[in-house]
Amino acid sequence: MATELALRKAQTSDSELLFAWANDPVVRQNSFRQAAISWEEHQQWLAGKLDTPDCKFFILLIRETPAGTLRFDRSDANQWTIGIALATHYRGKGLAGPFIVLGCQALASEFPGAQVVAYIKQRNSASLKGFEAAGFVRLADCSVSDEPCFFLQRYV
């Protein structure tokens, strides 16, 4: 299966698909902002993400079929915060870890030695499992938007 996994850069033409994934109930539940996202908000947000060098935004592919998103946002000179969301029918299949590894390899090709950090809600055991499978180390408990989280890190 690993040879069937790939990444491609997100594009403006992905807007509708990204909007649908962003408003998926499970994605909203596991996000730090749980309110539904309006189309206008999404369009403005996406334009900002696609137009900045401080964001590396990928569509996850399985046999060339879109399966989710992976995004790195630069939070300081050589530190990037990662986020991943899988489409409903690809969840629970052990794909997060391999996709996270692919994304980290892509980031490393441009920013070798970068520190990648993740904030995972403590109740999101599936996400924690995927990040740990991808070589992330849990460093601390923390809170984001009053939500108990784990802080994880990996160098690429």
Side-chain angles (χ1 to χ4, degrees):
M1 177 70 113
T3 59
E4 299 173 341
L5 305 182
L7 308 172
R8 71 164 170 76
K9 289 183 178 182
Q11 307 163 28
T12 304
S13 60
D14 295 314
S15 188
E16 288 183 30
L17 181 61
L18 291 168
F19 179 69
W21 285 340
N23 279 308
D24 175 281
V26 173
V27 171
R28 295 285 19 106
Q29 177 184 359
N30 289 313
S31 296
F32 292 108
R33 179 182 170 231
Q34 295 185 348
I37 299 166
S38 73
W39 177 250
E40 294 74 25
E41 258 183 308
H42 171 71
Q43 290 295 92
Q44 184 177 6
W45 173 86
L46 183 60
K49 291 299 178 184
L50 296 178
D51 290 339
T52 178
D54 292 330
C55 180
K56 302 300 175 190
F57 197 175
F58 299 100
I59 300 295
L60 309 174
L61 303 170
I62 299 176
R63 290 181 224 99
E64 300 185 25
T65 301
T69 68
L70 182 71
R71 195 178 79 238
F72 297 93
D73 290 297
R74 190 187 323 244
S75 46
D76 114 18
N78 203 32
Q79 183 182 72
W80 298 77
T81 303
I82 185 175
I84 185 171
L86 292 173
T88 304
H89 49 283
Y90 292 111
R91 295 179 192 145
K93 300 182 185 308
L95 295 169
F99 273 128
I100 293 167
V101 168
L102 273 178
C104 288
Q105 290 169 346
L107 187 69
S109 70
E110 195 171 344
F111 301 97
Q115 176 191 30
V116 181
V117 299
Y119 297 89
I120 308 298
K121 288 185 176 184
Q122 289 184 5
R123 60 184 165 84
N124 190 349
S125 58
S127 187
L128 179 62
K129 183 178 175 182
F131 277 93
E132 288 177 333
F136 278 73
V137 176
R138 190 178 345 165
L139 295 181
D141 293 352
C142 63
S143 178
V144 176
S145 302
D146 296 323
E147 182 78 39
C149 299
F150 298 119
F151 174 75
L152 295 92
Q153 155 186 294
R154 174 186 168 173
Y155 287 91
V156 297

